[in-house]
Amino acid sequence: MCGIVAYIGQRDAYPVVLKGLKRLEYRGYDSAGVAILNHGLHVYKKKGKVAQLEDFLTGKNMQSHIAIGHTRWATHGEPCDRNSHPHVSGDGKLAMIHNGIIENYALLKQELLNKGHQFESDTDTEVLIHFIEEIRNSNQCAVEEALRIALKRVVGAYVIVIVDEDNPDTLIAARKGSPLVIGVGKGEHFLASDASPIVEYTKEVVYVNDYEIAIVKADELILKNITNERQTPYIQKLDIELTAIEKGGFDHFMLKEIFEQPQTIFDSLRGRLDAKNGQLTLGGIREYTDVLANARRVIIVACGTSWHAGLVAEYMIEELCRVPVEVEYASEFRYRNPVVGPGDVIIAVSQSGETADTLVAMESAKAQGAIILGVCNVVGSSIARLSHAGVYTHAGPEIGVASTKAFTAQLAVLCLIGLKVAIEKGSISQQRFQHLLDELQDIPEKVGLALKLNEQIKQVAQKYKDARDFLYLGRGYNFPVALEGALKLKEISYIHAEGYPAAEMKHGPIALVDEQLPVVFVATRDSFYEKIVSNIQEIKARKGKVIAIVTEGDQIIPAMADDVIQVPEADELVSPIISVIPLQLLAYHIGVSKGYDVDKPRNLAKSVTVE
Ligand code: F6R
């Protein structure tokens, strides 16, 4: 949520920052801006996507060895030029970019207004840079010192980067609660919200920790904590390649990521699943499988698509491990004063590893004595670091705002966790264990087969793209898949869609059904098959249009559905990894056929770092 990027070094800084902003645009795209130093500070900002800023700056002299840039997802103040970042101090000498929220900005603003400060924007960010300026002036100290004093009073989450006209060889950055990566090059440094703007220049990075301040020069990186003690920067090697963050011939990142799934699921299983020898290794949680097996309760906290993965995991873990599982919206869990403590195991599921609601839920459960395990995609992310232990999903960078490959990798990893605990606990037979290992092993290939349905699904999308509403129904393991299908459609086609347990439909939503309403049934062959066939008949009896996702070879449902999509057969425990594929493609093609930017749906941003 909001992307920040900055550069200092021998290169021309503006092109580096501009390219970085394009890579980070998935984090927010309602406005963008840059600041450079070239005989003084110059700040340029524009409402709209980064391309609009680029057009606006074409032909301008942007030469500078230092630059900061920002792509915004509005929190305080509508998207407009005035509210875009960077924001500047009253004397026009300091410019700042910010990702996060300053919660006590109103109080600080009032204090500053009383002292005569004037503000041009509605943002909390402008308040913070004025606050730093005020401290610098009244204490006659350096910006670094003023920043340190200011941050002690700031409540909220931030990554900020400041450029100072009077100190043109230094960038100053600070982090609390939002991500900041510093790329270390030869005589140059790159700062960004994630590694994607950095990877083409250097593989050496430092992940800045909460409450750290970075003083960054072209050839020097100094890290200090908030009490001014030097910290040793811990340089890590990036393990992503440039190709992972480029479209690679696909029209959209979303489509590329959907099609990557046979590989990403394989990657999430690699080195862990050895079906041939009946082995499963999960080094990340080796010391916690016992704790999980004997947990009083497992509580899965997550948001959005990751929450849907958590719902599937509830079915998996309860069935395999016979441990009670609850799945909580992280935002609700944290604030309803939940009963949680020693004996409980929290599993936080997150693609980005930076989702503020999930982080806060974890922090509060940890403080009350629960064990925290993380299932994250982004290595080194805040959620990964806050967890006692965890398992990475290894799906690679997910850039399309609507989550696809992260979801299937989460399902694969959560299934591995359930199986590992079950076999150690003895709550699964050796035979069923081996069967499920074999099933998991076959999943990448079956997902590949499901992707071959792309053209057929494109035609189904054409047929239904003008519908006003959609209903998605499923039972058992396929109920969360129905929720996920509805979420995907809403996000990228702006069509209202609801997911429901198929049986629950008759307790209310059936009132919506008429000949205009497409109802997507996720009805693969599982223990609920006969029941869902009855639900399909109930919809047909009311003239609803049925699009059914069924198992290959099904003879019964095709006879009653309007459109049928046949996916490869799989054990019901792992079937969601396959049955979600047509729903991702359906949403994609409907969104594209309506002319929308499916990679950057309106109002959304990836990595929701505000509560
Ligand atoms: C949906 C989507 C969001 C995220 C949610 C959680 O397509 O992308 O609903 O799933 O914001 O994000 P993470 O998984 O990064 O915690």
Side-chain angles (χ1 to χ4, degrees), residues 424-441:
E424 293 205 356
K425 187 176 177 183
S427 53
I428 187 172
S429 71
Q430 187 61 46
Q431 195 189 9
R432 174 112 178 101
F433 179 71
Q434 183 61 52
H435 169 71
L436 287 171
L437 295 191
D438 294 338
E439 283 282 311
L440 269 176
Q441 167 130 309

Side-chain angles (χ1 to χ4, degrees), residues 218 349 389 583:
V349 184
L583 304 189

Side-chain angles (χ1 to χ4, degrees), residues 260-271:
E260 275 173 354
Q261 288 175 108
Q263 184 61 43
T264 51
I265 297 164
F266 178 79
D267 290 343
S268 67
L269 301 174
R270 186 174 33 207

Side-chain angles (χ1 to χ4, degrees), residues 270-312:
R270 186 174 33 207
R272 295 166 172 168
L273 172 70
D274 176 3
K276 200 162 135 229
N277 296 306
Q279 296 295 321
L280 212 168
T281 318
L282 283 179
I285 56 160
R286 189 178 297 123
E287 282 147 35
Y288 289 88
T289 40
D290 249 16
V291 180
L292 264 168
N294 299 309
R296 177 174 72 174
R297 206 167 37 146
V298 169
I299 305 169
I300 300 177
V301 293
C303 307
T305 289
S306 298
W307 183 80
H308 295 155
L311 280 184
V312 178

Side-chain angles (χ1 to χ4, degrees), residues 1 254 301-308 348-359 375-378 383 398 400-404 406-407 410 484 487-488 491-492 601 604-609:
M1 191 154 279
M254 183 177 176
V301 293
C303 307
T305 289
S306 298
W307 183 80
H308 295 155
V349 184
S350 174
Q351 188 286 126
S352 61
E354 302 295 344
T355 302
D357 288 322
T358 309
L359 266 167
V375 172
C376 283
N377 195 35
V378 178
I383 289 178
E398 190 179 65
V401 164
S403 187
T404 53
F407 178 69
Q410 286 166 348
E484 175 59 9
L487 179 64
K488 288 288 88 83
E491 283 179 298
I492 59 173
L604 293 179
K606 207 154 183 83
S607 190
V608 184
T609 53

